[in-house]
Amino acid sequence: DAGITQSPRHKVTETGTPVTLRCHQTENHRYMYWYRQDPGHGLRLIHYSYGVKDTDKGEVSDGYSVSRSKTEDFLLTLESATSSQTSVYFCAISVGGAVNGHEQYFGPGTRLTVT
Amino acid sequence: QKEVEQDPGPLSVPEGAIVSLNCTYSNSAFQYFMWYRQYSRKGPELLMYTYSSGNKEDGRFTAQVDKSSKYISLFIRDSQPSDSATYLCAIKDTGNQFYFGTGTSLTVIP
């Protein structure tokens, strides 16, 4: 357990509604990640952060934005939710930095359903 | 071409069997290779990681990397029903990104 919590754990929302998912860590790790997991696609990177206010896009960033105003919190926002964003969202941290940070630990996930 | 490919299975074996899980990857520059285990409705948990080629053993688990053929494997000896889960391979590039296989579902039958 790397001290990662996600909230909410489950959410049902309507198409067109903005949604924010929160990831919180207790160990001040620099690198944080948001993934989505879908059958047949595995885990795909949405965005990641390498420090406060430092973020970059991943493989499937369209329709998502992120913010990190504090080391411990990494927020993922769906500006206008669509049914294709129904998924399980995982937050992760990596230990050791950019070069040696090959140990990645995951939160419990958020199940999001967009109706 | 995807960075990493993994046979989704499902794989079903009797208790005590040796299990072999495999992935292939596309970029010969990758150097860090990981295996994760994911139980139903849980987050992935890191099982093992290896750097470059060779074997790494941890209890009943052995991770193997063959960089010449861009092939990574996880072997589970004396498999137990508690090993029933989805196993994900992952690769880290030289930057900050990790690439995951789609996962292989394993069931160990008592």
PDB file of all heavy atoms in Angstrom, chain A residues 73-100:
ATOM      1  N   ASP A  73      -1.993  15.889  -4.150  1.00  0.00           N
ATOM      2  CA  ASP A  73      -3.266  15.754  -4.866  1.00  0.00           C
ATOM      3  C   ASP A  73      -3.097  15.920  -6.373  1.00  0.00           C
ATOM      4  O   ASP A  73      -2.456  16.865  -6.841  1.00  0.00           O
ATOM      5  CB  ASP A  73      -4.279  16.791  -4.372  1.00  0.00           C
ATOM      6  CG  ASP A  73      -4.772  16.495  -2.980  1.00  0.00           C
ATOM      7  OD1 ASP A  73      -4.905  15.307  -2.629  1.00  0.00           O
ATOM      8  OD2 ASP A  73      -5.044  17.459  -2.233  1.00  0.00           O
ATOM      9  N   PHE A  74      -3.742  15.011  -7.112  1.00  0.00           N
ATOM     10  CA  PHE A  74      -3.708  15.059  -8.579  1.00  0.00           C
ATOM     11  C   PHE A  74      -5.149  14.866  -9.030  1.00  0.00           C
ATOM     12  O   PHE A  74      -5.752  13.829  -8.762  1.00  0.00           O
ATOM     13  CB  PHE A  74      -2.795  13.955  -9.104  1.00  0.00           C
ATOM     14  CG  PHE A  74      -2.451  14.047 -10.564  1.00  0.00           C
ATOM     15  CD1 PHE A  74      -2.389  15.256 -11.235  1.00  0.00           C
ATOM     16  CD2 PHE A  74      -2.151  12.892 -11.277  1.00  0.00           C
ATOM     17  CE1 PHE A  74      -2.038  15.320 -12.574  1.00  0.00           C
ATOM     18  CE2 PHE A  74      -1.793  12.940 -12.616  1.00  0.00           C
ATOM     19  CZ  PHE A  74      -1.741  14.162 -13.261  1.00  0.00           C
ATOM     20  N   LEU A  75      -5.706  15.878  -9.674  1.00  0.00           N
ATOM     21  CA  LEU A  75      -7.110  15.861 -10.057  1.00  0.00           C
ATOM     22  C   LEU A  75      -7.257  15.590 -11.548  1.00  0.00           C
ATOM     23  O   LEU A  75      -6.512  16.149 -12.366  1.00  0.00           O
ATOM     24  CB  LEU A  75      -7.772  17.208  -9.725  1.00  0.00           C
ATOM     25  CG  LEU A  75      -7.673  17.685  -8.282  1.00  0.00           C
ATOM     26  CD1 LEU A  75      -8.396  19.019  -8.124  1.00  0.00           C
ATOM     27  CD2 LEU A  75      -8.249  16.669  -7.321  1.00  0.00           C
ATOM     28  N   LEU A  76      -8.223  14.779 -11.890  1.00  0.00           N
ATOM     29  CA  LEU A  76      -8.559  14.493 -13.280  1.00  0.00           C
ATOM     30  C   LEU A  76      -9.964  15.012 -13.529  1.00  0.00           C
ATOM     31  O   LEU A  76     -10.897  14.648 -12.810  1.00  0.00           O
ATOM     32  CB  LEU A  76      -8.514  12.987 -13.548  1.00  0.00           C
ATOM     33  CG  LEU A  76      -8.937  12.542 -14.951  1.00  0.00           C
ATOM     34  CD1 LEU A  76      -7.878  12.953 -15.980  1.00  0.00           C
ATOM     35  CD2 LEU A  76      -9.147  11.022 -14.990  1.00  0.00           C
ATOM     36  N   THR A  77     -10.121  15.848 -14.560  1.00  0.00           N
ATOM     37  CA  THR A  77     -11.426  16.428 -14.882  1.00  0.00           C
ATOM     38  C   THR A  77     -11.856  16.026 -16.282  1.00  0.00           C
ATOM     39  O   THR A  77     -11.084  16.136 -17.233  1.00  0.00           O
ATOM     40  CB  THR A  77     -11.390  17.961 -14.790  1.00  0.00           C
ATOM     41  OG1 THR A  77     -11.095  18.334 -13.437  1.00  0.00           O
ATOM     42  CG2 THR A  77     -12.735  18.563 -15.184  1.00  0.00           C
ATOM     43  N   LEU A  78     -13.085  15.555 -16.354  1.00  0.00           N
ATOM     44  CA  LEU A  78     -13.738  15.335 -17.632  1.00  0.00           C
ATOM     45  C   LEU A  78     -14.600  16.569 -17.856  1.00  0.00           C
ATOM     46  O   LEU A  78     -15.570  16.805 -17.136  1.00  0.00           O
ATOM     47  CB  LEU A  78     -14.607  14.086 -17.604  1.00  0.00           C
ATOM     48  CG  LEU A  78     -13.917  12.724 -17.550  1.00  0.00           C
ATOM     49  CD1 LEU A  78     -13.140  12.503 -16.252  1.00  0.00           C
ATOM     50  CD2 LEU A  78     -14.936  11.607 -17.749  1.00  0.00           C
ATOM     51  N   GLU A  79     -14.236  17.380 -18.812  1.00  0.00           N
ATOM     52  CA  GLU A  79     -14.887  18.679 -18.982  1.00  0.00           C
ATOM     53  C   GLU A  79     -16.370  18.532 -19.312  1.00  0.00           C
ATOM     54  O   GLU A  79     -17.209  19.273 -18.811  1.00  0.00           O
ATOM     55  CB  GLU A  79     -14.183  19.467 -20.078  1.00  0.00           C
ATOM     56  CG  GLU A  79     -12.690  19.686 -19.836  1.00  0.00           C
ATOM     57  CD  GLU A  79     -12.407  20.654 -18.692  1.00  0.00           C
ATOM     58  OE1 GLU A  79     -13.352  21.329 -18.231  1.00  0.00           O
ATOM     59  OE2 GLU A  79     -11.242  20.715 -18.251  1.00  0.00           O
ATOM     60  N   SER A  80     -16.680  17.574 -20.168  1.00  0.00           N
ATOM     61  CA  SER A  80     -18.062  17.298 -20.578  1.00  0.00           C
ATOM     62  C   SER A  80     -18.137  15.803 -20.863  1.00  0.00           C
ATOM     63  O   SER A  80     -17.765  15.354 -21.943  1.00  0.00           O
ATOM     64  CB  SER A  80     -18.410  18.115 -21.818  1.00  0.00           C
ATOM     65  OG  SER A  80     -19.715  17.815 -22.266  1.00  0.00           O
ATOM     66  N   ALA A  81     -18.575  15.050 -19.870  1.00  0.00           N
ATOM     67  CA  ALA A  81     -18.476  13.592 -19.936  1.00  0.00           C
ATOM     68  C   ALA A  81     -19.253  13.019 -21.120  1.00  0.00           C
ATOM     69  O   ALA A  81     -20.358  13.483 -21.470  1.00  0.00           O
ATOM     70  CB  ALA A  81     -18.983  12.981 -18.637  1.00  0.00           C
ATOM     71  N   THR A  82     -18.663  11.994 -21.745  1.00  0.00           N
ATOM     72  CA  THR A  82     -19.320  11.266 -22.833  1.00  0.00           C
ATOM     73  C   THR A  82     -19.372   9.784 -22.472  1.00  0.00           C
ATOM     74  O   THR A  82     -18.607   9.313 -21.619  1.00  0.00           O
ATOM     75  CB  THR A  82     -18.566  11.433 -24.154  1.00  0.00           C
ATOM     76  OG1 THR A  82     -17.292  10.767 -24.043  1.00  0.00           O
ATOM     77  CG2 THR A  82     -18.328  12.898 -24.487  1.00  0.00           C
ATOM     78  N   SER A  83     -20.237   9.057 -23.134  1.00  0.00           N
ATOM     79  CA  SER A  83     -20.393   7.631 -22.826  1.00  0.00           C
ATOM     80  C   SER A  83     -19.093   6.855 -23.064  1.00  0.00           C
ATOM     81  O   SER A  83     -18.840   5.841 -22.410  1.00  0.00           O
ATOM     82  CB  SER A  83     -21.538   7.033 -23.634  1.00  0.00           C
ATOM     83  OG  SER A  83     -21.299   7.184 -25.020  1.00  0.00           O
ATOM     84  N   SER A  84     -18.270   7.334 -23.990  1.00  0.00           N
ATOM     85  CA  SER A  84     -17.000   6.656 -24.272  1.00  0.00           C
ATOM     86  C   SER A  84     -16.006   6.799 -23.120  1.00  0.00           C
ATOM     87  O   SER A  84     -14.963   6.130 -23.118  1.00  0.00           O
ATOM     88  CB  SER A  84     -16.378   7.211 -25.557  1.00  0.00           C
ATOM     89  OG  SER A  84     -16.033   8.573 -25.391  1.00  0.00           O
ATOM     90  N   GLN A  85     -16.311   7.660 -22.170  1.00  0.00           N
ATOM     91  CA  GLN A  85     -15.445   7.829 -21.008  1.00  0.00           C
ATOM     92  C   GLN A  85     -15.887   6.963 -19.827  1.00  0.00           C
ATOM     93  O   GLN A  85     -15.296   7.035 -18.751  1.00  0.00           O
ATOM     94  CB  GLN A  85     -15.376   9.301 -20.607  1.00  0.00           C
ATOM     95  CG  GLN A  85     -14.674  10.142 -21.666  1.00  0.00           C
ATOM     96  CD  GLN A  85     -14.677  11.630 -21.346  1.00  0.00           C
ATOM     97  OE1 GLN A  85     -15.727  12.202 -21.008  1.00  0.00           O
ATOM     98  NE2 GLN A  85     -13.522  12.261 -21.464  1.00  0.00           N
ATOM     99  N   THR A  86     -16.898   6.145 -20.034  1.00  0.00           N
ATOM    100  CA  THR A  86     -17.248   5.129 -19.051  1.00  0.00           C
ATOM    101  C   THR A  86     -16.081   4.162 -18.949  1.00  0.00           C
ATOM    102  O   THR A  86     -15.661   3.569 -19.951  1.00  0.00           O
ATOM    103  CB  THR A  86     -18.523   4.379 -19.468  1.00  0.00           C
ATOM    104  OG1 THR A  86     -19.632   5.268 -19.408  1.00  0.00           O
ATOM    105  CG2 THR A  86     -18.774   3.184 -18.555  1.00  0.00           C
ATOM    106  N   SER A  87     -15.549   4.029 -17.741  1.00  0.00           N
ATOM    107  CA  SER A  87     -14.328   3.249 -17.589  1.00  0.00           C
ATOM    108  C   SER A  87     -14.000   3.119 -16.101  1.00  0.00           C
ATOM    109  O   SER A  87     -14.697   3.669 -15.243  1.00  0.00           O
ATOM    110  CB  SER A  87     -13.164   3.949 -18.313  1.00  0.00           C
ATOM    111  OG  SER A  87     -11.999   3.147 -18.319  1.00  0.00           O
ATOM    112  N   VAL A  88     -12.934   2.387 -15.832  1.00  0.00           N
ATOM    113  CA  VAL A  88     -12.352   2.380 -14.495  1.00  0.00           C
ATOM    114  C   VAL A  88     -11.078   3.219 -14.558  1.00  0.00           C
ATOM    115  O   VAL A  88     -10.213   2.980 -15.408  1.00  0.00           O
ATOM    116  CB  VAL A  88     -12.026   0.957 -14.013  1.00  0.00           C
ATOM    117  CG1 VAL A  88     -11.453   1.005 -12.604  1.00  0.00           C
ATOM    118  CG2 VAL A  88     -13.285   0.089 -14.053  1.00  0.00           C
ATOM    119  N   TYR A  89     -10.988   4.185 -13.661  1.00  0.00           N
ATOM    120  CA  TYR A  89      -9.857   5.107 -13.653  1.00  0.00           C
ATOM    121  C   TYR A  89      -8.942   4.797 -12.470  1.00  0.00           C
ATOM    122  O   TYR A  89      -9.394   4.688 -11.331  1.00  0.00           O
ATOM    123  CB  TYR A  89     -10.358   6.549 -13.567  1.00  0.00           C
ATOM    124  CG  TYR A  89     -11.067   6.977 -14.833  1.00  0.00           C
ATOM    125  CD1 TYR A  89     -12.421   6.717 -15.028  1.00  0.00           C
ATOM    126  CD2 TYR A  89     -10.364   7.618 -15.849  1.00  0.00           C
ATOM    127  CE1 TYR A  89     -13.065   7.083 -16.199  1.00  0.00           C
ATOM    128  CE2 TYR A  89     -10.997   7.993 -17.026  1.00  0.00           C
ATOM    129  CZ  TYR A  89     -12.345   7.709 -17.189  1.00  0.00           C
ATOM    130  OH  TYR A  89     -12.975   8.072 -18.361  1.00  0.00           O
ATOM    131  N   PHE A  90      -7.671   4.656 -12.774  1.00  0.00           N
ATOM    132  CA  PHE A  90      -6.682   4.384 -11.745  1.00  0.00           C
ATOM    133  C   PHE A  90      -5.659   5.512 -11.670  1.00  0.00           C
ATOM    134  O   PHE A  90      -5.173   5.988 -12.696  1.00  0.00           O
ATOM    135  CB  PHE A  90      -5.930   3.080 -12.033  1.00  0.00           C
ATOM    136  CG  PHE A  90      -6.755   1.843 -11.799  1.00  0.00           C
ATOM    137  CD1 PHE A  90      -7.322   1.163 -12.873  1.00  0.00           C
ATOM    138  CD2 PHE A  90      -6.955   1.351 -10.522  1.00  0.00           C
ATOM    139  CE1 PHE A  90      -8.075   0.037 -12.672  1.00  0.00           C
ATOM    140  CE2 PHE A  90      -7.713   0.224 -10.310  1.00  0.00           C
ATOM    141  CZ  PHE A  90      -8.277  -0.441 -11.390  1.00  0.00           C
ATOM    142  N   CYS A  91      -5.357   5.868 -10.464  1.00  0.00           N
ATOM    143  CA  CYS A  91      -4.261   6.780 -10.189  1.00  0.00           C
ATOM    144  C   CYS A  91      -3.051   5.939  -9.781  1.00  0.00           C
ATOM    145  O   CYS A  91      -3.211   4.864  -9.186  1.00  0.00           O
ATOM    146  CB  CYS A  91      -4.663   7.725  -9.062  1.00  0.00           C
ATOM    147  SG  CYS A  91      -3.351   8.808  -8.483  1.00  0.00           S
ATOM    148  N   ALA A  92      -1.866   6.421 -10.097  1.00  0.00           N
ATOM    149  CA  ALA A  92      -0.657   5.709  -9.712  1.00  0.00           C
ATOM    150  C   ALA A  92       0.433   6.703  -9.367  1.00  0.00           C
ATOM    151  O   ALA A  92       0.403   7.865  -9.807  1.00  0.00           O
ATOM    152  CB  ALA A  92      -0.193   4.790 -10.843  1.00  0.00           C
ATOM    153  N   ILE A  93       1.387   6.249  -8.581  1.00  0.00           N
ATOM    154  CA  ILE A  93       2.598   7.014  -8.319  1.00  0.00           C
ATOM    155  C   ILE A  93       3.783   6.150  -8.725  1.00  0.00           C
ATOM    156  O   ILE A  93       3.677   4.914  -8.771  1.00  0.00           O
ATOM    157  CB  ILE A  93       2.716   7.430  -6.834  1.00  0.00           C
ATOM    158  CG1 ILE A  93       2.727   6.206  -5.919  1.00  0.00           C
ATOM    159  CG2 ILE A  93       1.590   8.353  -6.446  1.00  0.00           C
ATOM    160  CD1 ILE A  93       4.119   5.737  -5.531  1.00  0.00           C
ATOM    161  N   SER A  94       4.884   6.767  -9.065  1.00  0.00           N
ATOM    162  CA  SER A  94       6.093   5.986  -9.285  1.00  0.00           C
ATOM    163  C   SER A  94       7.139   6.441  -8.285  1.00  0.00           C
ATOM    164  O   SER A  94       7.210   7.621  -7.912  1.00  0.00           O
ATOM    165  CB  SER A  94       6.611   6.098 -10.721  1.00  0.00           C
ATOM    166  OG  SER A  94       7.127   7.367 -10.981  1.00  0.00           O
ATOM    167  N   VAL A  95       7.926   5.481  -7.876  1.00  0.00           N
ATOM    168  CA  VAL A  95       8.920   5.697  -6.836  1.00  0.00           C
ATOM    169  C   VAL A  95      10.287   5.776  -7.476  1.00  0.00           C
ATOM    170  O   VAL A  95      10.655   4.917  -8.265  1.00  0.00           O
ATOM    171  CB  VAL A  95       8.875   4.546  -5.821  1.00  0.00           C
ATOM    172  CG1 VAL A  95       9.961   4.703  -4.780  1.00  0.00           C
ATOM    173  CG2 VAL A  95       7.508   4.469  -5.168  1.00  0.00           C
ATOM    174  N   GLY A  96      11.031   6.826  -7.188  1.00  0.00           N
ATOM    175  CA  GLY A  96      12.414   6.861  -7.628  1.00  0.00           C
ATOM    176  C   GLY A  96      12.732   7.859  -8.703  1.00  0.00           C
ATOM    177  O   GLY A  96      13.882   8.005  -9.089  1.00  0.00           O
ATOM    178  N   GLY A  97      11.742   8.576  -9.236  1.00  0.00           N
ATOM    179  CA  GLY A  97      12.059   9.613 -10.206  1.00  0.00           C
ATOM    180  C   GLY A  97      12.019   9.141 -11.636  1.00  0.00           C
ATOM    181  O   GLY A  97      11.639   8.013 -11.930  1.00  0.00           O
ATOM    182  N   ALA A  98      12.442  10.000 -12.565  1.00  0.00           N
ATOM    183  CA  ALA A  98      12.270   9.750 -13.991  1.00  0.00           C
ATOM    184  C   ALA A  98      13.098   8.575 -14.473  1.00  0.00           C
ATOM    185  O   ALA A  98      12.622   7.727 -15.208  1.00  0.00           O
ATOM    186  CB  ALA A  98      12.636  11.002 -14.781  1.00  0.00           C
ATOM    187  N   VAL A  99      14.344   8.487 -14.076  1.00  0.00           N
ATOM    188  CA  VAL A  99      15.217   7.442 -14.615  1.00  0.00           C
ATOM    189  C   VAL A  99      15.042   6.134 -13.854  1.00  0.00           C
ATOM    190  O   VAL A  99      14.934   5.063 -14.437  1.00  0.00           O
ATOM    191  CB  VAL A  99      16.689   7.892 -14.566  1.00  0.00           C
ATOM    192  CG1 VAL A  99      17.599   6.768 -15.029  1.00  0.00           C
ATOM    193  CG2 VAL A  99      16.885   9.127 -15.407  1.00  0.00           C
ATOM    194  N   ASN A 100      15.004   6.218 -12.543  1.00  0.00           N
ATOM    195  CA  ASN A 100      14.938   5.000 -11.746  1.00  0.00           C
ATOM    196  C   ASN A 100      13.535   4.672 -11.262  1.00  0.00           C
ATOM    197  O   ASN A 100      13.351   3.713 -10.522  1.00  0.00           O
ATOM    198  CB  ASN A 100      15.860   5.133 -10.542  1.00  0.00           C
ATOM    199  CG  ASN A 100      17.307   5.290 -10.971  1.00  0.00           C
ATOM    200  OD1 ASN A 100      17.771   4.574 -11.844  1.00  0.00           O
ATOM    201  ND2 ASN A 100      17.998   6.243 -10.375  1.00  0.00           N
TER     202      ASN A 100
END
